[in-house]
């Protein structure tokens, strides 16, 4: 199994989403030595915002692209190649102004590309990135999975929508929420998220044992 880990929190080593997502990937690797991992750190190596050269370059034949068009489209090509090669995708983000980080949004802009990750036909759009399991690891200061603040969560609905549009419909969310509510809340949120990733790893191990029996 190939794992693509995408981290995007600007908080670096203090980031709860990066920590849990990284631990998740490491546990998946430890559970099955045949697994591989590719890490895309969008803070250390942010993708450029799409611009005019990108918007025109993706519709220009390769041989006719300007050097700048070739450069920016090449960035998108690499991100797409990583995505297509992965069996499991782990997306880690903080909850920033009720949505995902801008660095993760740039990644989405580079992988959501007509003719590569989706196409249009007589029946409408068709997602081309299929057969993937996606985990969204989302850290938030407040509680947005339930209660009055649910309507303010634009991160999970957006990611589910855009991933589904591209063909990735098997999406599971791992929340680390309430981390702005004191030390005890942080401890509880991290413990809950850790228990969830441990359950996922254990279930995968059980499936492999059953398949080998």
């Amino acid at each position: 199994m190939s794992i693509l880990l995408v981290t995007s929190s600007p908080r670096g080593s203090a980031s709860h989403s990066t920590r849990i997502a990284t631990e998740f990937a490491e546990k998946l690797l430890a559970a099955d030595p045949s697994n591989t991992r590719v890490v895309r750190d969008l803070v250390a190596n942010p993708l450029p915002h799409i611009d005019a050269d990108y918007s025109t370059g993706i519709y220009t034949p390769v041989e006719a692209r300007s050097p700048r068009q070739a450069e920016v489209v090449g960035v998108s090509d690499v991100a797409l190649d990583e995505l297509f090669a992965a069996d499991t995708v782990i997306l880690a983000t903080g909850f920033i102004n009720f949505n995902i980080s801008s660095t993760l949004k740039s990644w989405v802009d580079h992988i959501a590309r007509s003719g590569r990750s989706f196409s249009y036909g007589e029946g409408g759009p068709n997602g081309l990135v299929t057969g993937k399991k996606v985990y969204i690891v989302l850290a938030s200061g407040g509680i947005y999975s339930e209660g009055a603040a649910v309507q303010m969560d634009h991160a999970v609905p957006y990611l589910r929508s855009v991933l589904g549009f591209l063909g990735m419909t098997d999406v599971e969310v791992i929340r680390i929420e309430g981390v702005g509510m004191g030390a005890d809340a942080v401890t509880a949120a991290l413990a809950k998220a850790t228990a969830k990733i441990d359950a996922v790893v254990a279930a995968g191990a059980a499936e492999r044992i059953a398949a080998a029996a």
Side-chain angles (χ1 to χ4, degrees):
M1 179 176 69
S2 175
I3 303 163
L4 174 60
L5 170 61
V6 181
T7 61
S8 65
S9 172
R11 299 181 67 238
S13 60
S15 165
H16 298 304
S17 65
T18 298
R19 170 186 165 185
I20 292 297
T22 300
E23 288 181 2
F24 188 14
E26 289 174 347
K27 288 178 178 179
L28 289 173
L29 287 171
D32 186 347
S34 69
N35 289 343
T36 60
R37 173 181 55 180
V38 171
V39 179
R40 179 168 281 275
D41 183 339
L42 295 173
V43 176
N45 297 289
L47 294 176
H49 291 294
I50 60 174
D51 57 15
D53 286 319
Y54 174 87
S55 298
T56 55
I58 59 175
Y59 297 110
T60 301
V62 174
E63 66 278 5
R65 289 173 185 161
S66 69
R68 170 63 180 163
Q69 287 175 329
E71 177 186 356
V72 294
V73 175
V75 169
S76 172
D77 286 339
V78 172
L80 277 164
D81 289 345
E82 290 175 348
L83 177 61
F84 276 109
D87 301 301
T88 297
V89 182
I90 304 173
L91 303 179
T93 181
F95 191 73
I96 301 175
N97 296 323
F98 312 115
N99 212 317
I100 62 175
S101 64
S102 62
T103 50
L104 184 57
K105 177 57 168 61
S106 288
W107 179 81
V108 170
D109 289 339
H110 279 281
I111 59 115
R113 188 166 138 196
S114 179
R116 285 292 309 270
S117 54
F118 69 93
S119 63
Y120 285 108
E122 293 182 357
N126 179 41
L128 304 177
V129 189
T130 58
K132 318 268 181 216
K133 174 68 179 187
V134 182
Y135 296 94
I136 299 168
V137 180
L138 176 67
S140 60
I143 305 295
Y144 296 92
S145 63
E146 59 185 11
V150 166
Q151 62 184 344
M152 300 176 73
D153 177 5
H154 302 288
V156 171
Y158 168 71
L159 285 175
R160 283 191 181 279
S161 295
V162 71
L163 292 171
F165 180 83
L166 300 181
M168 292 171 278
T169 56
D170 188 359
V171 179
E172 187 170 345
V173 180
I174 299 170
R175 290 183 182 266
I176 314 158
E177 55 184 349
V179 297
M181 299 179 175
D184 289 344
V186 171
T187 299
L190 290 173
K192 184 176 180 179
T194 298
K196 189 163 186 177
I197 65 174
D198 286 346
V200 170
V201 173
E207 288 177 3
R208 286 192 298 275
I209 292 172

